Amino acid sequence: MQVHAYGAHAADKPLEHLNITRRATGPHDIQIDIAYCGICHSDLHQVRSEWAGTQYPCVPGHEIVGRVAAVGAHVKNYQVGDLVGVGCIVDSCQHCEDCDAGLENYCDNMVGTYNGPTPDAPGWTLGGYSQQIVVHERYVLRIRHPEADLAAVAPLLCAGITTYSPLRHWGAGPGKKVGVVGIGGLGHMGIKIAHAMGAHVVAFTTSESKRADAKALGADEVVVSCNAEEMAAHAKSFDFILNTVAAPHDLDAFLGLLKREGTMTLVGAPATPHPSPNVFNLIMKRRSLAGSLIGGIPETQEMLDFCAEHGIVADIELIAADGINAAYERMLKGDIKYRFVIDNATMGA
Ligand SMILES: [Zn+2]
Ligand SMILES: [Zn+2]
């Protein structure tokens, strides 16, 4: 099946219209008409080969929402017309310790939604900047939000689960003081989700101008992190800090804000390493510095259901496919509140 898509032929080329081939729908496959796809910073890294090993043509996109167009003979849980999503994972080994635990995100053979190994043409996976995708039922999520919210649901499939998973794992909830560092695509979801979980949420930003925005997103307090006095007022007080900032920065400034046995978890992927933290900042209060990668499929469903129940969606700007290159440039400048989403119906032009 030939479908319209947007992708790049080389790291230094802009994205453009492409025709790509999707596999025939197998017995356990679901064919999805993609309505919208969010633009994640990873898309830009991949398409410009800022991480090693991008294969071209590269079609990014792993914040996919749409409607079931066809189901394979053995698919029981989905029907034509259902609202569904696909996130960062389209396959895994399905039998290792991680897959058995529903943590396919940590499977050594996890296949990403784009640039992952596949027997399908052209030999690597092609993502959600396209009009249709065919995915094994195990990796398809049900969407229970109202259909009117569909475009704003798309970013939950990566930004939502990337923040939900660590917040849940490290116990964000009532009585817990939770920090969210960075108010961008990831951070704005982290604030909304931590707030809905019942935590006392403190947002950290480097820009004074984001103070009101963070409050509007659900932060109880906002700290401008370059203000030493404001930072000192929160010393040794946090149970958990979710750090969404990808740019290398001083981790010690935040580790010192954790109370005894507190944890700071990093979810941003820096192109160059952070300066090493001072080990004494970990030893003295038995603190932990951790990392977390998206989330497993059952947890992604749990996150979608949690967000539907609490009325949580991303703050988005909807664009047409021919606006993707301009959106990338704005994203690099931080000029987006807080996620671009592509209207995939515009891809045929
Ligand atoms: Zn992503
Ligand atoms: Zn596995």
Side-chain angles (χ1 to χ4, degrees), residues 29-250:
D29 282 342
I30 298 181
Q31 182 189 321
I32 299 163
D33 285 334
I34 303 176
Y36 305 103
C37 184
I39 295 181
C40 173
H41 220 109
S42 303
D43 301 354
L44 187 153
H45 286 306
Q46 191 76 67
V47 86
R48 295 187 175 177
S49 204
E50 292 166 1
W51 297 334
T54 300
Q55 293 169 288
Y56 295 93
C58 172
V59 174
H62 58 203
E63 294 182 338
I64 298 166
V65 294
R67 224 172 245 295
V68 174
V71 296
H74 294 164
V75 172
K76 291 197 181 67
N77 294 327
Y78 292 95
Q79 294 182 322
V80 171
D82 286 350
L83 287 182
V84 292
V86 175
C88 307
I89 310 172
V90 290
D91 205 358
S92 62
C93 84
Q94 305 190 15
H95 53 69
C96 70
E97 197 182 331
D98 300 315
C99 287
D100 286 347
L103 293 169
E104 300 88 347
N105 49 321
Y106 297 117
C107 173
D108 290 338
N109 295 301
M110 187 256 274
V111 176
T113 303
Y114 51 80
N115 206 54
T118 173
D120 302 344
W124 54 93
T125 53
L126 302 171
Y129 295 8
S130 59
Q131 288 197 312
Q132 287 194 320
I133 193 168
V134 177
V135 179
H136 188 286
E137 59 179 331
R138 176 177 176 141
Y139 308 94
V140 174
L141 290 311
R142 184 172 296 282
I143 290 170
R144 298 186 165 89
H145 285 77
E147 190 176 356
D149 286 345
L150 198 57
V153 168
L156 300 183
L157 275 304
C158 176
I161 187 61
T162 296
T163 51
Y164 179 93
S165 179
L167 286 166
R168 182 61 92 208
H169 182 77
W170 277 280
K176 294 293 169 72
K177 185 172 173 182
V178 169
V180 177
V181 184
I183 309 172
L186 290 172
H188 99 287
M189 290 310 312
I191 293 169
K192 289 185 186 208
I193 291 170
H195 173 74
M197 286 175 171
H200 181 86
V201 182
V202 181
F204 293 90
T205 175
T206 50
S207 79
E208 185 68 42
S209 65
K210 285 197 177 171
R211 215 182 266 277
D213 295 342
K215 283 268 172 75
L217 292 167
D220 296 286
E221 298 178 66
V222 184
V223 171
V224 175
S225 56
C226 37
N227 182 325
E229 238 172 75
E230 274 190 66
M231 291 289 276
H234 290 273
K236 303 173 192 171
S237 67
F238 283 87
D239 296 282
F240 180 66
I241 296 176
L242 177 68
N243 189 329
T244 72
V245 175
H249 63 282
D250 175 20

